[in-house]
Amino acid sequence: MKRNIVLSIKIAFAYVGTVIGAGFASGQEILRFFTVYGKYSVFSIMLVAFLFVCVGIRVLRVGFELSAGSFRDAIRLVFGSLSPLVNAYLLLAIVMVAAAMLAGAGALLAEYIRLPVYMGMSVTAVIVGVFAAFGLKGIFAINAWIVPGILTFNVLVFIYSLMAGDSTFEVMPVFDVTLFDIIKTGVSYASFNIVLAMGVLTSVGCKVKDLRVLKVGGVLGGIILGTMLLMGNYSLMRCIPEVYEFEIPMLYIVRRMGYFFGAAFAIVMWGAIITTLVSNVFSVACAASDIFKLPMRMALFVTIIVCAVLSLIGFSRMVTFVYPLLGMIGFIVILVMFFLVKK
């Protein structure tokens, strides 16, 4: 029993670590997706948490029942004859997102410890490669260390926000909000992140041969993500309108908490980048190994090299186009997983 509980927690942390990237940790995603809706943002976040739980369990179950080694099998189930095109696009999109995060890691280390950008990228790439080389064991290990730290930091920021200033406040949305807006932003956010998490979730479902453990892990992961979104959103709402002027909104809060928290925030950001990078690189390497019949470690090496090259040539505008399309594919995945996948 104890072993099953520990395994469920590891699955939950792997789920959380895949979703929490630089955008989440910085507060930028929370601000743009939710905080702009003011007091109504709570309903969107509750919808996101519900989808993270329900669809996350479905994806884990698909991996369990299909013995899916990569996200390609789940996409084949959802898209049928169109799956080769969708898989090719997803492969490219996940590589680009991973490359963007690798570039972000280099910039972060250059900003905080004056490490040259290329050196920061190299250090991050080596760490990611080492943990990804151990497969799911490596993913479980890195998230077991980093996710609790990110969660603890998130809780401390939330407590500070609760204690700071007037306890009674009401944040109005920056524009008129409809029920459609609330649903759309919740589904869009969940769609994008679930697609990026599919590679890890299907692989976990394939390797873990206990459906109950998978379900508990999916539920716990979705609840943690929803709770972190609610806490981060509350903290940002307490600092409106100042946070709208910051590229890294959460930095505005932690700087007010003191120097120590400012330094800790850099570590949290780097950790969030690493956890997502490990998951993304692992997902792409699994798919590449399957497609090109490469040894896993060779596929992993090639994936990291491709990400490193892409991060150097500047493709941020391409990512702007990739994200919405990734969300559209994710929306279809959510619909099929939620309504059609019964067996």
Side-chain angles (χ1 to χ4, degrees), residues 254-330:
V254 298
R255 280 179 174 170
R256 296 167 64 188
M257 296 172 66
Y259 175 79
F260 171 79
F261 286 96
F265 180 68
I267 299 173
V268 167
M269 281 280 292
W270 191 43
I273 289 173
I274 287 176
T275 57
T276 305
L277 258 176
V278 170
S279 298
N280 287 354
V281 167
F282 174 76
S283 299
V284 172
C286 285
S289 176
D290 189 21
I291 295 169
F292 302 108
K293 309 304 178 187
L294 295 173
M296 183 58 186
R297 296 202 173 183
M298 176 61 71
L300 190 61
F301 177 77
V302 171
T303 299
I304 292 175
I305 294 298
V306 170
C307 290
V309 171
L310 284 175
S311 67
L312 295 175
I313 62 178
F315 57 92
S316 57
R317 293 178 183 175
M318 294 173 64
V319 173
T320 303
F321 293 102
V322 167
Y323 274 45
L325 289 173
L326 205 56
M328 289 173 59
I329 292 174

